[in-house]
Amino acid sequence: GAVVSQHPSWVICKSGTSVKIECRSLDFQATTMFWYRQFPKQSLMLMATSNEGSKATYEQGVEKDKFLINHASLTLSTLTVTSAHPEDSSFYICSAALVRGGSYEQYFGPGTRLTVT
Amino acid sequence: DAKTTQPPSMDCAEGRAANLPCNHSTISGNEYVYWYRQIHSQGPQYIIHGLKNNETNEMASLIITEDRKSSTLILPHATLRDTAVYYCIVRGLLGGATNKLIFGTGTLLAVQP
């Protein structure tokens, strides 16, 4: 159990276009989802936290108008990279939180590799 | 900012135990120690977590010192598939801003045949 999926697994887009990445919790409901970004040979950087039905909370330095997050249901969160540029090329990873037995567990998706040309 | 310190890399022979250290000297009383690992080009995978007692599951053992300022993740019989970056993270268990998992630089464990 506790599986998180992402779609697509990889995407190539042209500079100036927008790209939407989906994150789904397949077998549990996640009131909170997180989005991370990872550049080559670097660690994961938290971009934003999203709670179902409310606006996302962005980390310092992350442009909320560029990285649009929608968490419309307990099993789906989307990240839209608007007007993408080559410097947005990165590995985007989502994570979903599961509260179980008094414990707060966080599970990660497989990631989406975005390449902007 | 990450609250942990880990060696950047370690080697381990296949079949031997891998012992990965982590320092978290500023850990507070309600924070847990979590371990995740990330195999190349994949999302992080949860391994284990603990508060103050030693913990064991099917993947690994977690040994936390009595003063809770450091811990060691033990993979009892490392295989080539255990080659990954291992992240030690301290985090509160429930509620609020302390729920965020903030990743440091981790330890790249290379299991050698």
Side-chain angles (χ1 to χ4, degrees):
Chain A
V3 178
V4 178
S5 70
Q6 283 185 241
H7 178 80
S9 56
W10 61 271
V11 58
I12 301 172
C13 72
K14 292 187 177 181
S15 186
T17 62
S18 295
V19 174
K20 180 184 285 188
I21 302 170
E22 291 186 350
C23 175
R24 295 182 185 272
S25 55
L26 297 185
D27 50 4
F28 66 99
Q29 294 183 329
T31 55
T32 305
M33 288 187 172
F34 305 84
W35 286 95
Y36 292 79
R37 179 169 54 179
Q38 186 175 33
F39 293 107
K41 298 188 185 302
Q42 295 187 21
S43 186
L44 286 79
M45 288 177 44
L46 179 64
M47 300 175 67
T49 302
S50 76
N51 291 297
E52 186 263 340
S54 62
K55 291 184 179 180
T57 302
Y58 291 81
E59 295 297 304
Q60 191 173 7
V62 178
E63 300 174 58
K64 63 180 181 180
D65 294 330
K66 180 170 184 62
F67 299 99
L68 302 179
I69 293 172
N70 185 285
H71 192 165
S73 78
L74 290 172
T75 59
L76 173 63
S77 176
T78 61
L79 168 69
T80 301
V81 182
T82 63
S83 187
H85 290 285
E87 56 265 30
D88 299 321
S89 298
S90 188
F91 192 48
Y92 291 87
I93 307 168
C94 75
S95 176
L98 168 64
V99 180
R100 175 161 58 187
S103 174
Y104 187 94
E105 302 171 8
Q106 198 166 327
Y107 295 91
F108 288 81
T112 296
R113 177 127 355 244
L114 169 63
T115 302
V116 184
T117 61
Chain B
D1 292 332
K3 302 180 183 179
T4 62
T5 304
Q6 300 177 251
S9 64
M10 292 182 64
D11 286 347
C12 176
E14 189 177 18
R16 304 296 294 271
N19 297 280
L20 293 94
C22 179
N23 286 321
H24 32 78
S25 58
T26 61
I27 192 170
S28 60
N30 63 351
E31 287 184 318
Y32 284 65
V33 180
Y34 285 78
W35 283 83
Y36 282 78
R37 73 179 183 183
Q38 185 180 27
I39 295 171
H40 183 62
S41 294
Q42 297 183 21
Q45 176 188 22
Y46 166 81
I47 301 173
I48 199 167
H49 74 281
L51 182 63
K52 55 182 178 180
N53 296 320
N54 297 338
E55 302 287 345
T56 295
N57 63 21
E58 64 277 6
M59 288 184 68
S61 295
L62 174 59
I63 309 297
I64 301 174
T65 57
E66 193 169 343
D67 64 6
R68 301 209 324 122
K69 292 185 177 183
S70 65
S71 60
T72 301
L73 178 74
I74 301 173
L75 307 180
H77 305 287
T79 71
L80 298 178
R81 288 178 294 182
D82 292 321
T83 292
V85 178
Y86 287 76
Y87 295 98
C88 167
I89 304 170
V90 296
R91 195 196 75 179
L93 186 62
L94 286 175
T98 55
N99 273 345
K100 294 188 286 189
L101 278 177
I102 304 299
F103 286 79
T105 53
T107 296
L108 173 59
L109 174 69
V111 181
Q112 309 291 342

